[in-house]
Amino acid sequence: MAGDGSDQRALQYEQTLMYGRYTQELGVYAKEEAARLRESGQRRSVSDRSRTLDLLEYDKGRCAKCRICTVRCQKFLISRVGEDWIFLILLGLLMALVSWVVDFCIAICLQAQKWMYGGLDSNVFLQYLAWVTYPVVLITFSAGFTQILAPQAVGSGIPEMKTILRGVVLKEYLTFKTFVAKVIGLTCALGSGMPLGKEGPFVHIASLCAALLSKFMSLFGGIYENESRNIEMLAAACAVGVGCCFAAPIGGVLFSIEVTSTFFAVRNYWRGFFAATFSAFIFRVLAVWNRDEETITALFKTRFRLDFPFDLQELPAFAVIGIASGFGGALFVYLNRLIVQFIRKQKAINRFLMKKRLLYPALVTLLVSTLTFPPGFGQFMAGKLTQKESLVTLLDNRTWAKQGIAEEFDYIGHSQAWKHPQVNVFVTLVLFIVMKFWMSALATTIPVPCGAFMPVFVIGAAFGRLVGESMAAWFPDGIHTDGTIYPIVPGGYAVVGAAALSGAVTHTVSTAVIVFELTGQISHILPVMIAVILANAVAQSLQPSLYDSIIRIKKLPYLPELGWGHHEKYNIRVEDIMVRDVRYITLNCCYRDLHNVLLTGHLKTLALVESAESMILLGSIERAQLQSLLSQQLGRPRRLEYIRERAVAEKKRLSVVSNPDSEDGSQRVSQEVRFQISTEESTFSPVRPVAQKPLKPALKRPSVVERPTEIPTSPQDNSGIALKNLFCASPDTEGLEDDGDVEDDMTIREIAEWEEMQLDEQVNFNNCKIDPAPFQLVERTSLHKTHTIFSLLGLDHAYVTSIGRLIGVVSLKELRKAIEGSVTVKGVKVRPPLASFRDSGTSSSENEATELHKLWDRHKSMSLPREHTPSESDEKSQ
Amino acid sequence: MAGDGSDQRALQYEQTLMYGRYTQELGVYAKEEAARLRESGQRRSVSDRSRTLDLLEYDKGRCAKCRICTVRCQKFLISRVGEDWIFLILLGLLMALVSWVVDFCIAICLQAQKWMYGGLDSNVFLQYLAWVTYPVVLITFSAGFTQILAPQAVGSGIPEMKTILRGVVLKEYLTFKTFVAKVIGLTCALGSGMPLGKEGPFVHIASLCAALLSKFMSLFGGIYENESRNIEMLAAACAVGVGCCFAAPIGGVLFSIEVTSTFFAVRNYWRGFFAATFSAFIFRVLAVWNRDEETITALFKTRFRLDFPFDLQELPAFAVIGIASGFGGALFVYLNRLIVQFIRKQKAINRFLMKKRLLYPALVTLLVSTLTFPPGFGQFMAGKLTQKESLVTLLDNRTWAKQGIAEEFDYIGHSQAWKHPQVNVFVTLVLFIVMKFWMSALATTIPVPCGAFMPVFVIGAAFGRLVGESMAAWFPDGIHTDGTIYPIVPGGYAVVGAAALSGAVTHTVSTAVIVFELTGQISHILPVMIAVILANAVAQSLQPSLYDSIIRIKKLPYLPELGWGHHEKYNIRVEDIMVRDVRYITLNCCYRDLHNVLLTGHLKTLALVESAESMILLGSIERAQLQSLLSQQLGRPRRLEYIRERAVAEKKRLSVVSNPDSEDGSQRVSQEVRFQISTEESTFSPVRPVAQKPLKPALKRPSVVERPTEIPTSPQDNSGIALKNLFCASPDTEGLEDDGDVEDDMTIREIAEWEEMQLDEQVNFNNCKIDPAPFQLVERTSLHKTHTIFSLLGLDHAYVTSIGRLIGVVSLKELRKAIEGSVTVKGVKVRPPLASFRDSGTSSSENEATELHKLWDRHKSMSLPREHTPSESDEKSQ
């Protein structure tokens, strides 16, 4: 993503605009761009033609016609490359290959561990060493590798994709480096046998693939640079990610919609289905070609009986699984967040772990693998099974508790792992569930690329299996009363449990579909749906989803969902939550007003009104724009200009020739010295250094970072010059170059006077980007509608107007507050019934974060440094 | 939906506002409403308390506490009723019951026909009479019943639901009458055994249920009156409709999303799933309780082998099914439209059929049932099987062509219908497909409540079966080359064909999911997905979906979808398609300007700008509002006021006492006479009568019909008084009443003079509803984005501004034109590659409709008559 900076910046700017704001500069840029494209198109066709001619001359004797034909075909193909479906096929193909290769490598890694462990069976200690060292090395390598190459690759990536699809540009997240780091890091992490998943990272990898492919394809045509198209393609890519990971195209599409979108364009539906189906198809075909499978079937095929899958009277048991999974899911999310916060809060631990970045992963891995060591504690929790093997055995359609029916099954070897000679299978299952539960919650906080879906899925299956085995033990001949004996199928319960728990953790219903596609059987549809819905109902009223929780931990911009049926939302109006004290600038204001507004306000954009009396809203201007206006007005170039003019006037009288050699270096030094002299009376220092704090390095809203304003971070202010320092952040280098013929000989007093003079001039908005159509609401728009509009259009603020007059502003913050229930209106306390419990869960983090968050909210408009400093927000990612 | 008119009108008005326009009057109304609600709440709690006290006194001796407890419980329950989930459960329960009862009645009807037919096997003629008369009677009854009770119940209802969910209020479509007509009409129509489906109507019935339930529940609390909530509930209801019809909750949700939405709020997802699952569950539980089934299983359970569902090398055959189904689906839509247009165009036929409304259904039924008469032609096309029986036999997992494998199957009786002693099974299948194809296309044009999904589904299954049987005949030992023989399963092909053809006709991918849920097997997921996607790709490039086709036939307001990857859309800008010549009014204009603007323009709303120089957009005003402003200014009351004032001034001099008795009657007569005198010089007649034409009686945009302006339709204009006639449409009755003390003794000349005078006054916008935040775009917004915004927010026009200045306007019409490819920009002809073929299909109808359509577009702002005149647009509905 390096390269031609200015173009990219303009493009990035465009990317944040959800509904066509228009800026003069951008308009000019777009026209130039269009001209450039046209020209290059002509040039290309010209070069094509000349190439054709070359070929003709070269092979005159030989089959020239054939050659021309080939060239024509090539041209046709290149023109076709622009079509969406080609892109989607390529994406699907690529992702299927990646998925298959990753799976293959993981399988090899796991086999290697088994082989080492098996080979050393003479000595338990050596066995232990081999069992423990192998994952520690792999995880440490994975953590180190991602840390060095691209720290953005850490965690699942779904929260970031959700943020990106909401319209925020997290640019570092879609680079080639990240792709490499994510793929290799993920392979190593999963190869270690830790309870980690590949589904979240695959969503991210697919998005990376789409972004890179789109960049690659843009070599052939212009449309790949379009922002709307990219967003659509990213949405499709998320579906591909899940689809090729589980060979579940339908579930993949639905899951990705539920997890990443708030509003979904149905016209994108086919893209997701098309790409995900193709990808899943190729993924499974590779398995067939590799002779792993005879034909295309499901990944975890089950063989439950079709004629009588379950009895009506078993439904209460399924409902119990659903409700318990709901609580379990909420607990998992809570535990995960608790661990992150604990590590982060304990300053001592934190400092130690931060210093040795790889220590934390190594320690966690050591702990987990020690506990699963098969001859040790692992024997009581089927420790020697890999995740995949556990899942296969859990979905087995025999009953473990009573050994009655033995069917033709070849998983007996693995199934034995669950049966300890001394210990009941129920104990094994309970231990497995409990241990894996906290292990997974802990493991997903390791800073490697990893997801939590698969571990949760396995735990859910184990829980379902536990309930199923209990039922089977309770009703050995089944529940059905009419003659025929239909024994209970514990595997069916495992399917239900898996769907319910993973649904509860992710707050999705589509895990039901994923489960059907994974097992290749849909006969348990009603129990699964009932359990998933109940689990969702419980989990959603207790905790945010795992991904939303991470979004909050990472402090990515978000908008909470409107909960289940909190109908108070319909009664709150915008007028109840809007900020009435809007910062605005008038069309005919002077620079002093601009300065005052910038000092007192903190909003990212400012309203431009016709006049203070009429308050007619004309548009909005970004803070950065105003800053650059002020910097132009008060900047060194203008001052030098002024000095030059003064000098010219002087020269007429004194005819003094100024030194033509530029003294930039010394000038700048003197300037800095002068600044340092005046440090004492610094009155603005609390404002400025905070604004420059590298608060969210990974997060970039490029519409703001039009021009990185690199203010020196050392405090060197002066009440007069502070101004200049604040707004003239980027010294205009061109200005410096051609203004080298004058010497900045003004004293501080002179400068202050000159600045005062400059401040009284009227603002010239001609070179300023104005958004002429900021989003407007009216006082009586309901909270519900406002939420809809904000999430639809990806807004972060909207003005409230009354017949053209500006009367207030609503930003994401107000909306968030209102939804999360701190606004009381018309006697209705806007608080979801179960929110109190939920708050007690999150309050610790919220309070801790408030201070930082506030600053972040206030100053996110200021520039953010380009380079990514790995802050604490990254390695706790999941 | 009758009752307190003014409140309802205000509510309706609110319903069309997608993003919070605010009107003064509405604001006042809302405040009053809120106050009323609060008051009534208090009153209710007071009455509750008094009731409790009453009870206490009444049963003092007996268990008073118990009584109080009951009352408290009641109160608690009533307060809980407001929760969404209670509503959804009730909806699900209700729809499951309706679906089950309808199915039950249909089964009885079909059995009765079989019984009659079977009982008369001595005489073929009597048999024929019974076979034919029965459906003719039922269909005729159904048609007549719906025609009399509620003509809106005709057809599937999905197109209307799509329109309603887009934000347009088709009010008559959600009444209790329509519900009754739809349920009874549907039962009779399907009971006749004609190739009709129940799925479309069930979407409509579920929506009706939701609307009625919501009205019923609003007796308990206020939130049920909220518009956003109602829309969300309608979306959920659509899912319930499909879900309880096929016992397919997931497919139901997805299908309803694909068919009715353009943008889908993921937060509504759970509603649909919850309600549809509950509904499907109850629907199937009813079957278990009724001893039809042993436990809950799929509706059309298949028993294909699990271990090797299909071979990789069979995939080309599946792809062929997909592509052929795509063409078939497009042909079906085309045929359906062709029939409607043919019937409509043939004036003679049309007039004849219109006169005898029930003749057309009877004739069609006669034709279809004659052809399926089992001893006649029916023997070659399995005519004696009902739709359900055909489907069950088609999904049978035995091979028909070679009678080798006979498995334990109990459908042998039905399967025999496909095997004619003289004729090959292939011939039977081909005949079945061909005959059913046109029969279904024809039958769905009958004006009864009916859908086309199920017939198409069956045809698709038959086509798949045909391909499958051919494959089985071609490869008797299967395709698989490695040792084991896996014979081909033609039933799997039938599943694929069913999904592909129904997907092609409806342009949905979710038919794949429906098919899995219907058959209870997901093993063929990849072939089904591939076939469905291919079918969609082909069908979407040839024809609109069946529902969109009906929307166009019925001329409901719509916005075409952006097609598959027509990337030119990204290059068109709003400035290329916008209308630059915007009609606007200025804040300080006089009534004459208003008058001129109203006469020349035709847009529904007019822009209000600050002044003609600044062009700063302040808001928009509806045409109706301006008309009422003008009518107030030029109206009789004001004139009488003027006369009275003049009279008072006169009186001072002459002290003449006017007659205190009102002479309204005679006055009005004289007025009319005066109008008729001046008819000769009518210059405005082409404008006015057209505007009043009852063009789309069923379609009501109530925001326009604030006050039904009942202009007399006889042409009685005068260049001067025409004005008054145009704008003073509804004579203010209150005004007339209290102005009864003056006599309207002005001559025409005087009136004209007075009007001229009035027209020069400045407009007072105080009592005018102004939308202060109309949607604004900028010149460079791309067509793609514009489409997104229009469909997201349900807009029908948007202003194009440049820094607050109005420079253009884009309406649905321009957008439609641009998308459908009549705009050429920057050398790019904006025309999808296959559109030419598509156009040739639709052009005949488009041309025919253009004139009417144009008028409709121009004058939809004018009032529409309240009563529904059954126009030709209804009985051709599907």
PDB file of all heavy atoms in Angstrom, chain A residues 859-870:
ATOM      1  N   HIS A 859      -9.962  13.975  20.285  1.00  0.00           N
ATOM      2  CA  HIS A 859      -8.837  14.368  19.436  1.00  0.00           C
ATOM      3  C   HIS A 859      -8.590  13.438  18.281  1.00  0.00           C
ATOM      4  O   HIS A 859      -7.534  13.496  17.669  1.00  0.00           O
ATOM      5  CB  HIS A 859      -7.582  14.485  20.283  1.00  0.00           C
ATOM      6  CG  HIS A 859      -7.738  15.565  21.293  1.00  0.00           C
ATOM      7  ND1 HIS A 859      -7.759  16.887  20.959  1.00  0.00           N
ATOM      8  CD2 HIS A 859      -7.952  15.515  22.628  1.00  0.00           C
ATOM      9  CE1 HIS A 859      -7.939  17.613  22.036  1.00  0.00           C
ATOM     10  NE2 HIS A 859      -8.074  16.801  23.075  1.00  0.00           N
ATOM     11  N   LYS A 860      -9.534  12.603  17.985  1.00  0.00           N
ATOM     12  CA  LYS A 860      -9.272  11.704  16.873  1.00  0.00           C
ATOM     13  C   LYS A 860      -9.176  12.468  15.567  1.00  0.00           C
ATOM     14  O   LYS A 860      -8.717  11.937  14.569  1.00  0.00           O
ATOM     15  CB  LYS A 860     -10.303  10.580  16.793  1.00  0.00           C
ATOM     16  CG  LYS A 860     -11.710  10.985  16.526  1.00  0.00           C
ATOM     17  CD  LYS A 860     -12.586   9.739  16.429  1.00  0.00           C
ATOM     18  CE  LYS A 860     -14.048  10.128  16.510  1.00  0.00           C
ATOM     19  NZ  LYS A 860     -14.906   8.972  16.598  1.00  0.00           N
ATOM     20  N   SER A 861      -9.605  13.715  15.604  1.00  0.00           N
ATOM     21  CA  SER A 861      -9.503  14.504  14.382  1.00  0.00           C
ATOM     22  C   SER A 861      -8.067  14.915  14.115  1.00  0.00           C
ATOM     23  O   SER A 861      -7.711  15.220  12.993  1.00  0.00           O
ATOM     24  CB  SER A 861     -10.362  15.740  14.507  1.00  0.00           C
ATOM     25  OG  SER A 861      -9.780  16.626  15.429  1.00  0.00           O
ATOM     26  N   MET A 862      -7.266  14.925  15.177  1.00  0.00           N
ATOM     27  CA  MET A 862      -5.876  15.326  14.964  1.00  0.00           C
ATOM     28  C   MET A 862      -5.150  14.206  14.233  1.00  0.00           C
ATOM     29  O   MET A 862      -5.596  13.085  14.149  1.00  0.00           O
ATOM     30  CB  MET A 862      -5.200  15.593  16.313  1.00  0.00           C
ATOM     31  CG  MET A 862      -5.937  16.620  17.144  1.00  0.00           C
ATOM     32  SD  MET A 862      -6.068  18.219  16.346  1.00  0.00           S
ATOM     33  CE  MET A 862      -4.502  18.911  16.825  1.00  0.00           C
ATOM     34  N   SER A 863      -4.006  14.550  13.739  1.00  0.00           N
ATOM     35  CA  SER A 863      -3.287  13.560  12.920  1.00  0.00           C
ATOM     36  C   SER A 863      -2.769  12.417  13.772  1.00  0.00           C
ATOM     37  O   SER A 863      -2.513  12.572  14.959  1.00  0.00           O
ATOM     38  CB  SER A 863      -2.114  14.244  12.232  1.00  0.00           C
ATOM     39  OG  SER A 863      -1.068  14.350  13.151  1.00  0.00           O
ATOM     40  N   LEU A 864      -2.655  11.302  13.149  1.00  0.00           N
ATOM     41  CA  LEU A 864      -2.110  10.125  13.811  1.00  0.00           C
ATOM     42  C   LEU A 864      -0.809   9.774  13.111  1.00  0.00           C
ATOM     43  O   LEU A 864      -0.714   9.875  11.897  1.00  0.00           O
ATOM     44  CB  LEU A 864      -3.095   8.968  13.687  1.00  0.00           C
ATOM     45  CG  LEU A 864      -4.432   9.232  14.353  1.00  0.00           C
ATOM     46  CD1 LEU A 864      -5.455   8.242  13.862  1.00  0.00           C
ATOM     47  CD2 LEU A 864      -4.290   9.141  15.853  1.00  0.00           C
ATOM     48  N   PRO A 865       0.170   9.342  13.868  1.00  0.00           N
ATOM     49  CA  PRO A 865       1.462   9.027  13.227  1.00  0.00           C
ATOM     50  C   PRO A 865       1.312   7.859  12.270  1.00  0.00           C
ATOM     51  O   PRO A 865       0.467   6.987  12.440  1.00  0.00           O
ATOM     52  CB  PRO A 865       2.363   8.671  14.400  1.00  0.00           C
ATOM     53  CG  PRO A 865       1.448   8.356  15.517  1.00  0.00           C
ATOM     54  CD  PRO A 865       0.203   9.120  15.297  1.00  0.00           C
ATOM     55  N   ARG A 866       2.129   7.861  11.290  1.00  0.00           N
ATOM     56  CA  ARG A 866       2.036   6.857  10.224  1.00  0.00           C
ATOM     57  C   ARG A 866       2.486   5.477  10.686  1.00  0.00           C
ATOM     58  O   ARG A 866       1.884   4.482  10.405  1.00  0.00           O
ATOM     59  CB  ARG A 866       2.911   7.283   9.037  1.00  0.00           C
ATOM     60  CG  ARG A 866       2.301   8.397   8.228  1.00  0.00           C
ATOM     61  CD  ARG A 866       1.796   7.863   6.922  1.00  0.00           C
ATOM     62  NE  ARG A 866       0.517   8.492   6.640  1.00  0.00           N
ATOM     63  CZ  ARG A 866      -0.211   8.223   5.579  1.00  0.00           C
ATOM     64  NH1 ARG A 866       0.189   7.343   4.711  1.00  0.00           N
ATOM     65  NH2 ARG A 866      -1.367   8.804   5.389  1.00  0.00           N
ATOM     66  N   GLU A 867       3.634   5.452  11.354  1.00  0.00           N
ATOM     67  CA  GLU A 867       4.187   4.127  11.682  1.00  0.00           C
ATOM     68  C   GLU A 867       3.383   3.513  12.825  1.00  0.00           C
ATOM     69  O   GLU A 867       2.864   4.203  13.699  1.00  0.00           O
ATOM     70  CB  GLU A 867       5.678   4.236  12.041  1.00  0.00           C
ATOM     71  CG  GLU A 867       5.985   4.929  13.341  1.00  0.00           C
ATOM     72  CD  GLU A 867       5.949   6.443  13.180  1.00  0.00           C
ATOM     73  OE1 GLU A 867       5.631   6.899  12.070  1.00  0.00           O
ATOM     74  OE2 GLU A 867       6.246   7.137  14.142  1.00  0.00           O
ATOM     75  N   HIS A 868       3.289   2.209  12.772  1.00  0.00           N
ATOM     76  CA  HIS A 868       2.486   1.505  13.758  1.00  0.00           C
ATOM     77  C   HIS A 868       3.326   1.168  14.977  1.00  0.00           C
ATOM     78  O   HIS A 868       4.236   0.354  14.913  1.00  0.00           O
ATOM     79  CB  HIS A 868       1.937   0.220  13.144  1.00  0.00           C
ATOM     80  CG  HIS A 868       1.198  -0.605  14.121  1.00  0.00           C
ATOM     81  ND1 HIS A 868      -0.106  -0.341  14.452  1.00  0.00           N
ATOM     82  CD2 HIS A 868       1.580  -1.647  14.859  1.00  0.00           C
ATOM     83  CE1 HIS A 868      -0.485  -1.210  15.336  1.00  0.00           C
ATOM     84  NE2 HIS A 868       0.513  -2.021  15.605  1.00  0.00           N
ATOM     85  N   THR A 869       3.047   1.794  16.092  1.00  0.00           N
ATOM     86  CA  THR A 869       3.732   1.403  17.314  1.00  0.00           C
ATOM     87  C   THR A 869       2.866   0.369  18.004  1.00  0.00           C
ATOM     88  O   THR A 869       1.720   0.634  18.338  1.00  0.00           O
ATOM     89  CB  THR A 869       3.907   2.616  18.246  1.00  0.00           C
ATOM     90  OG1 THR A 869       2.625   3.228  18.384  1.00  0.00           O
ATOM     91  CG2 THR A 869       4.901   3.598  17.708  1.00  0.00           C
ATOM     92  N   PRO A 870       3.367  -0.810  18.195  1.00  0.00           N
ATOM     93  CA  PRO A 870       2.532  -1.874  18.780  1.00  0.00           C
ATOM     94  C   PRO A 870       2.086  -1.523  20.194  1.00  0.00           C
ATOM     95  O   PRO A 870       2.811  -1.728  21.161  1.00  0.00           O
ATOM     96  CB  PRO A 870       3.459  -3.090  18.758  1.00  0.00           C
ATOM     97  CG  PRO A 870       4.830  -2.537  18.608  1.00  0.00           C
ATOM     98  CD  PRO A 870       4.726  -1.249  17.929  1.00  0.00           C
TER      99      PRO A 870
END
